[in-house]
Amino acid sequence: MKYKALGNSGLTLSAVTLGCMTFTGDSNWGPQDEKDSVETIRAALDSGVTSFDTAESYAGGLTEVILGKALGADRSRVVIQSKVSNSHLNRADMVSSLENTLKRLGTDYLDLYQIHWPSADSMDEALDTLTDLKKQGKIRAIGVSNFGIGDLDRVLGKADVVSNQMAYNLLFRGIEYSIMGKCHENGIGILTYSSLGQGLLSGKYKTADDFPVGRARTKIFNSAIRQGARHGGAGCEELAFSCIDKIREICLEIGQPMEDVALAWSLSRPEITSVIAGARTPAQAIANAKAGDLTLAPDVIEALNRATEPIKEFIGDDADPWAYGRIH
Protein backbone atom coordinates (compact mmCIF):
# COMPACT_ATOMS: atom_id res chain seq x y z
CA MET A 1 0.00 0.00 0.00
CA LYS A 2 1.24 3.46 -0.88
CA TYR A 3 0.58 6.43 1.41
CA LYS A 4 0.34 10.13 0.65
CA ALA A 5 0.18 13.36 2.62
CA LEU A 6 -3.14 15.22 2.41
CA GLY A 7 -2.22 18.79 1.56
CA ASN A 8 -0.67 20.59 4.53
CA SER A 9 -3.00 18.88 7.02
CA GLY A 10 -0.39 16.68 8.65
CA LEU A 11 -2.59 13.69 7.78
CA THR A 12 -1.27 10.76 5.77
CA LEU A 13 -3.83 8.68 3.87
CA SER A 14 -3.55 5.23 2.39
CA ALA A 15 -3.82 5.33 -1.41
CA VAL A 16 -7.06 3.36 -1.09
CA THR A 17 -9.65 4.57 1.40
CA LEU A 18 -12.44 2.24 2.48
CA GLY A 19 -15.81 3.80 1.73
CA CYS A 20 -18.42 2.87 4.33
CA MET A 21 -21.66 3.92 2.63
CA THR A 22 -22.70 0.34 1.74
CA PHE A 23 -22.26 -1.14 5.23
CA THR A 24 -25.99 -1.29 5.76
CA GLY A 25 -28.45 -3.11 3.53
CA ASP A 26 -30.72 -1.23 1.14
CA SER A 27 -32.61 -1.80 -2.09
CA ASN A 28 -29.57 -0.90 -4.22
CA TRP A 29 -26.96 -3.07 -2.54
CA GLY A 30 -28.98 -5.82 -0.86
CA PRO A 31 -28.98 -6.98 2.77
CA GLN A 32 -25.83 -6.66 4.85
CA ASP A 33 -25.05 -8.20 8.22
CA GLU A 34 -23.15 -6.01 10.68
CA LYS A 35 -20.70 -8.83 11.33
CA ASP A 36 -19.75 -8.86 7.64
CA SER A 37 -19.16 -5.11 7.69
CA VAL A 38 -16.94 -5.34 10.78
CA GLU A 39 -14.93 -8.15 9.20
CA THR A 40 -14.60 -6.09 6.01
CA ILE A 41 -13.18 -3.13 7.96
CA ARG A 42 -10.72 -5.39 9.77
CA ALA A 43 -9.63 -6.99 6.49
CA ALA A 44 -9.01 -3.57 4.97
CA LEU A 45 -6.95 -2.53 7.98
CA ASP A 46 -4.91 -5.74 7.81
CA SER A 47 -4.30 -5.03 4.10
CA GLY A 48 -2.74 -1.64 4.77
CA VAL A 49 -5.80 0.61 4.49
CA THR A 50 -5.55 3.32 7.13
CA SER A 51 -8.20 5.80 5.97
CA PHE A 52 -11.95 5.29 6.24
CA ASP A 53 -14.70 7.53 4.84
CA THR A 54 -18.26 7.84 6.13
CA ALA A 55 -20.97 10.48 6.71
CA GLU A 56 -23.72 11.31 9.15
CA SER A 57 -26.25 10.82 6.36
CA TYR A 58 -25.27 7.22 5.59
CA ALA A 59 -28.05 5.10 7.08
CA GLY A 60 -28.79 7.81 9.61
CA GLY A 61 -25.32 7.51 11.15
CA LEU A 62 -25.35 3.72 11.48
CA THR A 63 -22.23 3.34 9.32
CA GLU A 64 -20.37 5.55 11.81
CA VAL A 65 -21.46 3.23 14.62
CA ILE A 66 -20.25 0.16 12.73
CA LEU A 67 -16.94 1.80 11.85
CA GLY A 68 -16.31 2.81 15.45
CA LYS A 69 -17.03 -0.71 16.70
CA ALA A 70 -14.73 -2.29 14.13
CA LEU A 71 -11.76 0.00 14.69
CA GLY A 72 -11.85 -0.10 18.48
CA ALA A 73 -8.36 0.11 19.96
CA ASP A 74 -6.85 0.79 16.53
CA ARG A 75 -8.39 4.28 16.44
CA SER A 76 -5.06 6.07 16.87
CA ARG A 77 -3.46 4.44 13.81
CA VAL A 78 -6.19 5.36 11.32
CA VAL A 79 -7.64 8.44 9.65
CA ILE A 80 -11.42 8.73 9.98
CA GLN A 81 -13.21 11.01 7.53
CA SER A 82 -16.85 11.96 7.98
CA LYS A 83 -19.16 14.51 6.42
CA VAL A 84 -21.70 16.98 7.74
CA SER A 85 -24.90 17.44 5.73
CA ASN A 86 -25.47 20.81 4.05
CA SER A 87 -28.65 21.23 6.09
CA HIS A 88 -26.51 21.39 9.25
CA LEU A 89 -24.13 24.22 8.37
CA ASN A 90 -25.20 26.80 10.92
CA ARG A 91 -23.05 26.82 14.06
CA ALA A 92 -25.44 25.15 16.47
CA ASP A 93 -26.40 22.36 14.09
CA MET A 94 -22.81 21.69 13.04
CA VAL A 95 -21.54 21.48 16.60
CA SER A 96 -24.39 19.10 17.44
CA SER A 97 -23.76 17.05 14.30
CA LEU A 98 -20.10 16.64 15.12
CA GLU A 99 -20.80 15.65 18.72
CA ASN A 100 -23.25 13.02 17.51
CA THR A 101 -20.74 11.74 14.95
CA LEU A 102 -18.01 11.48 17.60
CA LYS A 103 -20.37 9.65 19.94
CA ARG A 104 -21.34 7.15 17.24
CA LEU A 105 -17.71 6.57 16.31
CA GLY A 106 -16.65 6.24 19.95
CA THR A 107 -13.88 8.83 19.67
CA ASP A 108 -13.18 12.32 20.96
CA TYR A 109 -11.80 13.74 17.72
CA LEU A 110 -12.29 13.43 13.97
CA ASP A 111 -9.38 13.51 11.54
CA LEU A 112 -11.17 15.07 8.56
CA TYR A 113 -14.57 16.77 8.71
CA GLN A 114 -16.05 17.53 5.30
CA ILE A 115 -19.00 19.63 4.12
CA HIS A 116 -20.91 16.98 2.16
CA TRP A 117 -22.50 19.33 -0.41
CA PRO A 118 -22.15 23.09 -0.87
CA SER A 119 -24.98 25.35 0.21
CA ALA A 120 -25.96 28.86 -0.78
CA ASP A 121 -26.63 29.64 2.87
CA SER A 122 -24.50 29.51 6.04
CA MET A 123 -21.20 28.87 4.24
CA ASP A 124 -19.24 31.60 6.01
CA GLU A 125 -20.72 30.53 9.34
CA ALA A 126 -19.84 26.92 8.57
CA LEU A 127 -16.23 27.77 7.75
CA ASP A 128 -15.87 29.85 10.92
CA THR A 129 -17.34 27.00 12.96
CA LEU A 130 -15.05 24.43 11.36
CA THR A 131 -12.05 26.64 12.10
CA ASP A 132 -13.11 26.93 15.74
CA LEU A 133 -13.65 23.17 16.00
CA LYS A 134 -10.16 22.62 14.65
CA LYS A 135 -8.68 25.03 17.21
CA GLN A 136 -10.53 23.12 19.93
CA GLY A 137 -8.99 19.83 18.77
CA LYS A 138 -12.36 18.33 17.87
CA ILE A 139 -11.23 17.94 14.26
CA ARG A 140 -7.74 17.79 12.78
CA ALA A 141 -8.50 19.04 9.27
CA ILE A 142 -11.26 20.67 7.20
CA GLY A 143 -12.49 19.27 3.90
CA VAL A 144 -15.26 19.80 1.38
CA SER A 145 -17.09 17.51 -1.01
CA ASN A 146 -18.69 18.14 -4.42
CA PHE A 147 -17.31 21.67 -4.61
CA GLY A 148 -16.94 23.12 -8.10
CA ILE A 149 -14.90 26.15 -9.18
CA GLY A 150 -17.38 28.72 -7.89
CA ASP A 151 -17.85 26.87 -4.61
CA LEU A 152 -14.09 26.63 -4.11
CA ASP A 153 -13.73 30.37 -4.73
CA ARG A 154 -16.19 30.94 -1.87
CA VAL A 155 -14.07 29.02 0.63
CA LEU A 156 -10.47 29.69 -0.43
CA GLY A 157 -8.82 32.09 1.99
CA LYS A 158 -11.64 31.79 4.51
CA ALA A 159 -10.62 28.47 6.05
CA ASP A 160 -7.76 26.01 5.74
CA VAL A 161 -9.50 23.56 3.41
CA VAL A 162 -7.22 20.61 2.62
CA SER A 163 -9.43 18.28 0.55
CA ASN A 164 -12.24 18.12 -1.98
CA GLN A 165 -14.10 14.83 -2.43
CA MET A 166 -15.31 14.42 -6.02
CA ALA A 167 -16.77 11.76 -8.29
CA TYR A 168 -14.00 10.54 -10.58
CA ASN A 169 -13.22 7.40 -12.54
CA LEU A 170 -12.33 6.23 -16.04
CA LEU A 171 -15.90 6.79 -17.22
CA PHE A 172 -16.48 10.11 -15.45
CA ARG A 173 -13.57 12.48 -15.96
CA GLY A 174 -15.33 15.84 -15.68
CA ILE A 175 -13.08 17.24 -12.95
CA GLU A 176 -10.09 17.06 -15.31
CA TYR A 177 -11.29 20.15 -17.19
CA SER A 178 -10.90 22.71 -14.41
CA ILE A 179 -11.64 21.50 -10.87
CA MET A 180 -8.63 19.22 -10.67
CA GLY A 181 -6.25 22.03 -11.64
CA LYS A 182 -7.91 24.49 -9.26
CA CYS A 183 -7.47 22.10 -6.35
CA HIS A 184 -3.87 21.33 -7.26
CA GLU A 185 -2.95 25.02 -7.55
CA ASN A 186 -4.31 25.66 -4.05
CA GLY A 187 -2.80 22.65 -2.31
CA ILE A 188 -6.14 20.87 -1.97
CA GLY A 189 -5.94 17.10 -2.20
CA ILE A 190 -8.65 15.29 -4.14
CA LEU A 191 -10.39 12.24 -2.69
CA THR A 192 -12.37 10.35 -5.31
CA TYR A 193 -15.72 8.69 -4.74
CA SER A 194 -17.59 6.44 -7.15
CA SER A 195 -14.05 5.33 -7.95
CA LEU A 196 -15.33 2.14 -9.60
CA GLY A 197 -18.47 3.70 -11.06
CA GLN A 198 -20.62 1.85 -8.48
CA GLY A 199 -19.46 -1.41 -10.05
CA LEU A 200 -19.38 -0.49 -13.75
CA LEU A 201 -15.60 -0.81 -13.65
CA SER A 202 -15.67 -4.22 -11.99
CA GLY A 203 -15.84 -5.89 -15.39
CA LYS A 204 -18.91 -7.92 -14.39
CA TYR A 205 -21.44 -6.12 -16.57
CA LYS A 206 -21.50 -6.39 -20.37
CA THR A 207 -24.54 -4.20 -21.15
CA ALA A 208 -26.62 -1.49 -19.49
CA ASP A 209 -29.45 -3.99 -19.04
CA ASP A 210 -27.14 -6.18 -16.94
CA PHE A 211 -26.46 -3.38 -14.46
CA PRO A 212 -28.53 -3.35 -11.22
CA VAL A 213 -31.65 -1.22 -11.65
CA GLY A 214 -31.17 0.81 -8.48
CA ARG A 215 -27.66 1.86 -9.48
CA ALA A 216 -28.43 2.84 -13.09
CA ARG A 217 -28.84 6.48 -12.10
CA THR A 218 -25.89 8.43 -13.49
CA LYS A 219 -25.72 10.44 -16.70
CA ILE A 220 -24.39 7.36 -18.44
CA PHE A 221 -27.88 5.89 -18.31
CA ASN A 222 -30.96 6.88 -20.31
CA SER A 223 -33.51 8.64 -18.11
CA ALA A 224 -36.35 7.56 -20.40
CA ILE A 225 -35.84 3.86 -19.62
CA ARG A 226 -33.88 3.73 -16.32
CA GLN A 227 -36.26 4.42 -13.48
CA GLY A 228 -33.65 5.74 -11.06
CA ALA A 229 -32.03 8.25 -13.43
CA ARG A 230 -33.33 11.73 -12.74
CA HIS A 231 -31.02 13.85 -14.90
CA GLY A 232 -33.53 13.98 -17.78
CA GLY A 233 -31.04 13.16 -20.52
CA ALA A 234 -30.57 10.31 -22.98
CA GLY A 235 -27.26 9.24 -21.47
CA CYS A 236 -24.56 7.40 -23.41
CA GLU A 237 -25.07 3.73 -22.61
CA GLU A 238 -23.72 2.30 -25.87
CA LEU A 239 -20.66 4.55 -25.74
CA ALA A 240 -20.00 3.74 -22.07
CA PHE A 241 -20.05 -0.01 -22.58
CA SER A 242 -17.89 0.33 -25.68
CA CYS A 243 -15.33 2.10 -23.49
CA ILE A 244 -15.68 -0.62 -20.84
CA ASP A 245 -14.95 -3.26 -23.49
CA LYS A 246 -11.76 -1.41 -24.45
CA ILE A 247 -10.73 -1.14 -20.79
CA ARG A 248 -11.37 -4.88 -20.40
CA GLU A 249 -9.09 -5.63 -23.36
CA ILE A 250 -6.29 -3.52 -21.90
CA CYS A 251 -6.63 -5.27 -18.54
CA LEU A 252 -6.48 -8.69 -20.20
CA GLU A 253 -3.33 -7.67 -22.07
CA ILE A 254 -1.50 -6.70 -18.87
CA GLY A 255 -3.02 -9.49 -16.78
CA GLN A 256 -4.55 -7.30 -14.08
CA PRO A 257 -8.12 -7.17 -12.70
CA MET A 258 -10.20 -4.29 -14.04
CA GLU A 259 -10.99 -2.98 -10.54
CA ASP A 260 -7.30 -2.71 -9.66
CA VAL A 261 -6.45 -1.06 -12.96
CA ALA A 262 -9.28 1.46 -12.64
CA LEU A 263 -8.19 2.51 -9.15
CA ALA A 264 -4.49 2.57 -10.08
CA TRP A 265 -5.29 4.74 -13.11
CA SER A 266 -6.91 7.35 -10.87
CA LEU A 267 -4.00 7.18 -8.43
CA SER A 268 -1.55 7.84 -11.27
CA ARG A 269 -2.76 11.45 -11.26
CA PRO A 270 -0.63 13.56 -8.88
CA GLU A 271 -3.71 15.58 -7.93
CA ILE A 272 -5.39 12.52 -6.40
CA THR A 273 -4.50 11.79 -2.77
CA SER A 274 -6.68 8.72 -2.26
CA VAL A 275 -9.41 6.77 -4.02
CA ILE A 276 -12.45 5.82 -1.97
CA ALA A 277 -13.62 2.31 -2.78
CA GLY A 278 -16.54 0.59 -1.08
CA ALA A 279 -16.50 -3.05 -0.05
CA ARG A 280 -19.04 -5.33 1.60
CA THR A 281 -16.91 -8.42 2.15
CA PRO A 282 -13.36 -9.02 3.36
CA ALA A 283 -12.47 -10.40 -0.07
CA GLN A 284 -13.58 -7.18 -1.77
CA ALA A 285 -11.64 -5.05 0.72
CA ILE A 286 -8.48 -7.09 0.17
CA ALA A 287 -8.89 -6.91 -3.61
CA ASN A 288 -9.33 -3.13 -3.56
CA ALA A 289 -6.31 -2.68 -1.31
CA LYS A 290 -4.08 -4.37 -3.89
CA ALA A 291 -4.63 -1.41 -6.20
CA GLY A 292 -2.86 0.76 -3.65
CA ASP A 293 0.41 -0.94 -4.57
CA LEU A 294 -0.12 -1.20 -8.34
CA THR A 295 1.84 1.08 -10.65
CA LEU A 296 0.71 1.22 -14.27
CA ALA A 297 3.23 1.73 -17.05
CA PRO A 298 2.97 5.07 -18.89
CA ASP A 299 1.86 3.35 -22.09
CA VAL A 300 -0.96 1.60 -20.23
CA ILE A 301 -2.13 4.87 -18.72
CA GLU A 302 -2.10 6.46 -22.16
CA ALA A 303 -4.05 3.54 -23.63
CA LEU A 304 -6.69 3.91 -20.92
CA ASN A 305 -6.87 7.65 -21.56
CA ARG A 306 -7.44 7.06 -25.27
CA ALA A 307 -10.02 4.34 -24.61
CA THR A 308 -12.13 6.66 -22.48
CA GLU A 309 -11.55 9.96 -24.28
CA PRO A 310 -14.83 9.64 -26.24
CA ILE A 311 -16.94 9.47 -23.08
CA LYS A 312 -14.91 12.25 -21.48
CA GLU A 313 -15.71 14.46 -24.46
CA PHE A 314 -19.39 13.45 -24.43
CA ILE A 315 -19.92 14.28 -20.74
CA GLY A 316 -17.66 17.33 -20.82
CA ASP A 317 -16.81 19.40 -17.76
CA ASP A 318 -19.91 18.34 -15.83
CA ALA A 319 -18.73 17.21 -12.39
CA ASP A 320 -21.99 15.83 -10.99
CA PRO A 321 -22.73 12.27 -12.16
CA TRP A 322 -26.34 12.35 -10.96
CA ALA A 323 -27.97 15.65 -11.91
CA TYR A 324 -27.40 18.95 -13.67
CA GLY A 325 -26.67 22.30 -12.07
CA ARG A 326 -25.59 21.27 -8.56
CA ILE A 327 -21.81 21.66 -8.91
CA HIS A 328 -20.60 25.08 -10.08
Side-chain angles (χ1 to χ4, degrees), residues 223-284:
S223 285
I225 58 176
R226 310 297 171 190
Q227 63 185 42
R230 63 181 188 273
H231 53 80
C236 56
E237 295 180 358
E238 185 175 346
L239 174 60
F241 280 86
S242 173
C243 290
I244 291 170
D245 287 341
K246 292 176 183 176
I247 296 168
R248 186 181 290 107
E249 290 172 7
I250 294 168
C251 294
L252 287 172
E253 288 175 6
I254 64 174
Q256 294 288 349
M258 187 184 291
E259 299 101 316
D260 292 5
V261 171
L263 296 177
W265 173 85
S266 293
L267 288 167
S268 71
R269 298 289 308 230
E271 301 90 345
I272 305 299
T273 302
S274 183
V275 294
I276 300 170
R280 306 190 77 210
T281 67
Q284 290 174 348

Side-chain angles (χ1 to χ4, degrees), residues 41-313:
I41 294 166
R42 298 304 305 178
L45 190 60
D46 291 343
S47 299
V49 172
T50 57
S51 47
F52 300 82
D53 185 83
T54 184
E56 66 173 356
S57 63
Y58 296 164
L62 182 56
T63 62
E64 292 176 328
V65 174
I66 294 171
L67 182 60
K69 285 182 181 179
L71 292 176
D74 289 305
R75 168 68 183 98
S76 61
R77 56 182 281 225
V78 302
V79 171
I80 299 180
Q81 309 158 190
S82 195
K83 299 181 278 294
V84 59
S85 302
N86 66 354
S87 58
H88 294 160
L89 297 187
N90 66 67
R91 181 175 293 272
D93 285 349
M94 182 179 285
V95 170
S96 177
S97 287
L98 177 60
E99 289 300 330
N100 289 332
T101 282
L102 295 177
K103 186 181 299 184
R104 287 189 291 264
L105 286 165
T107 182
D108 57 2
Y109 71 96
L110 191 63
D111 297 290
L112 179 66
Y113 202 30
Q114 306 157 93
I115 297 174
H116 205 153
W117 282 90
S119 171
D121 303 317
S122 306
M123 191 59 68
D124 287 346
E125 185 177 358
L127 295 172
D128 288 344
T129 304
L130 287 166
T131 300
D132 290 344
L133 291 170
K134 183 181 175 186
K135 289 177 181 177
Q136 296 166 22
K138 294 285 189 178
I139 61 175
R140 295 178 64 192
I142 300 166
V144 295
S145 179
N146 300 300
F147 272 47
I149 295 295
D151 298 313
L152 289 169
D153 284 338
R154 292 173 62 200
V155 302
L156 289 172
K158 295 182 179 179
D160 187 13
V161 174
V162 300
S163 66
N164 189 12
Q165 189 175 139
M166 300 296 300
Y168 184 65
N169 58 58
L170 274 163
L171 302 174
F172 196 78
R173 298 170 55 183
I175 66 171
E176 291 181 11
Y177 286 89
S178 56
I179 295 173
M180 185 177 277
K182 180 85 168 182
C183 289
H184 193 59
E185 290 166 8
N186 289 279
I188 296 173
I190 295 176
L191 313 177
T192 72
Y193 73 86
S194 196
S195 305
L196 291 173
Q198 293 196 309
L200 277 173
L201 292 166
S202 68
K204 294 190 296 184
Y205 306 104
K206 301 296 180 66
T207 71
D209 291 333
D210 295 335
F211 199 63
V213 172
R215 282 185 259 160
R217 299 184 293 117
T218 68
K219 291 170 189 159
I220 285 174
F221 296 95
N222 188 339
S223 285
I225 58 176
R226 310 297 171 190
Q227 63 185 42
R230 63 181 188 273
H231 53 80
C236 56
E237 295 180 358
E238 185 175 346
L239 174 60
F241 280 86
S242 173
C243 290
I244 291 170
D245 287 341
K246 292 176 183 176
I247 296 168
R248 186 181 290 107
E249 290 172 7
I250 294 168
C251 294
L252 287 172
E253 288 175 6
I254 64 174
Q256 294 288 349
M258 187 184 291
E259 299 101 316
D260 292 5
V261 171
L263 296 177
W265 173 85
S266 293
L267 288 167
S268 71
R269 298 289 308 230
E271 301 90 345
I272 305 299
T273 302
S274 183
V275 294
I276 300 170
R280 306 190 77 210
T281 67
Q284 290 174 348
I286 293 167
N288 288 342
K290 289 179 181 177
D293 199 33
L294 176 62
T295 300
L296 300 176
D299 63 319
V300 174
I301 294 171
E302 180 55 32
L304 291 165
N305 289 342
R306 288 196 305 270
T308 57
E309 191 69 26
I311 195 169
K312 176 184 175 180
E313 292 178 357

